[in-house]
């Protein structure tokens, strides 16, 4: 994901490569499995896009499509990276370790409170809410409101 977040001259972050991620998902792979750009795109990918479970019928292969919900998951990972200066699962040397953790539902470890406040961590964890639970991931309006509040608190 690092290569997919571009910073404009006015310091505005822009997300890129939507077409590539959709194309790769339609081909039945993940950006990690089909490209070798920057190691770690996997580290920002929502687990529902990775198809960890084997299908019961080979003719009924699951077709995972990126969605606003999967984008929110990735946003949580980007937020963690921005606050800590480290990629998610920075302590995992090999990508296979990341795949193993994600397949078991293990999220990145909680950083120290000096880097990520309890409020920020709670919000990040909400972004990573599994798709099969009652609570949903935050919506775009809630993300914008959270970011505004964080900026206001930082200005104090």
């Amino acid at each position: 994901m690092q290569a997919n977040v571009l910073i404009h001259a006015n310091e505005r972050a822009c997300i890129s490569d939507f077409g590539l991620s959709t194309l790769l998902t339609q081909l039945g792979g993940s950006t990690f499995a089909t490209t070798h750009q920057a190691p770690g795109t996997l580290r920002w990918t929502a687990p529902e896009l990775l198809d960890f479970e084997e299908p019961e019928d080979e003719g009924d292969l699951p077709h995972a499509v990126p969605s606003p919900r999967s984008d929110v998951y990735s946003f949580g990972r980007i937020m963690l990276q921005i606050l800590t200066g480290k990629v998610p699962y920075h302590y995992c040397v090999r990508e296979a370790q990341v795949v193993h953790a994600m397949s078991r539902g293990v999220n990145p470890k909680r950083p120290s409170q000096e880097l990520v406040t309890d409020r920020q961590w709670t919000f990040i964890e909400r972004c990573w809410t599994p798709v099969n639970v009652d609570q949903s991931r935050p919506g775009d309006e809630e993300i914008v409101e959270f970011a505004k509040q964080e900026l206001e608190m930082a200005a104090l």
Side-chain angles (χ1 to χ4, degrees), residues 91-111:
Y91 43 83
C92 291
V93 180
R94 296 183 319 273
E95 294 299 308
Q97 293 172 300
V98 177
V99 171
H100 183 68
M102 290 179 72
S103 70
R104 293 186 351 237
V106 176
N107 285 320
K109 295 175 184 173
R110 165 90 161 78

Side-chain angles (χ1 to χ4, degrees), residues 6-48:
L6 308 174
I7 308 298
H8 192 273
N10 65 3
E11 297 184 0
R12 182 176 179 194
C14 300
I15 300 174
S16 66
D17 251 355
F18 292 108
L20 178 61
S21 61
T22 300
L23 171 65
L24 292 173
T25 301
Q26 289 173 349
L27 294 174
S30 71
T31 52
F32 171 75
T34 55
T35 67
H36 294 33
Q37 290 177 330
T41 302
L42 166 73
R43 295 168 190 255
W44 293 266
T45 302
E48 64 266 20

Side-chain angles (χ1 to χ4, degrees), residues 106-125:
V106 176
N107 285 320
K109 295 175 184 173
R110 165 90 161 78
S112 69
Q113 286 189 322
E114 292 93 38
L115 295 174
V116 180
T117 67
D118 289 339
R119 181 176 186 277
Q120 292 165 338
W121 184 248
T122 299
F123 192 81
I124 288 170
E125 285 188 309

Side-chain angles (χ1 to χ4, degrees), residues 58-132:
E58 284 187 33
D60 188 29
L61 295 175
H63 182 68
V65 178
S67 68
R69 288 175 56 173
S70 60
D71 290 342
V72 169
Y73 183 94
S74 297
F75 173 80
R77 297 289 169 99
I78 292 169
M79 187 173 159
L80 177 64
Q81 182 178 357
I82 289 170
L83 293 170
T84 64
K86 297 179 181 177
V87 298
Y89 301 104
H90 62 88
Y91 43 83
C92 291
V93 180
R94 296 183 319 273
E95 294 299 308
Q97 293 172 300
V98 177
V99 171
H100 183 68
M102 290 179 72
S103 70
R104 293 186 351 237
V106 176
N107 285 320
K109 295 175 184 173
R110 165 90 161 78
S112 69
Q113 286 189 322
E114 292 93 38
L115 295 174
V116 180
T117 67
D118 289 339
R119 181 176 186 277
Q120 292 165 338
W121 184 248
T122 299
F123 192 81
I124 288 170
E125 285 188 309
R126 283 198 51 227
C127 291
W128 299 338
T129 302
V131 292
N132 58 351

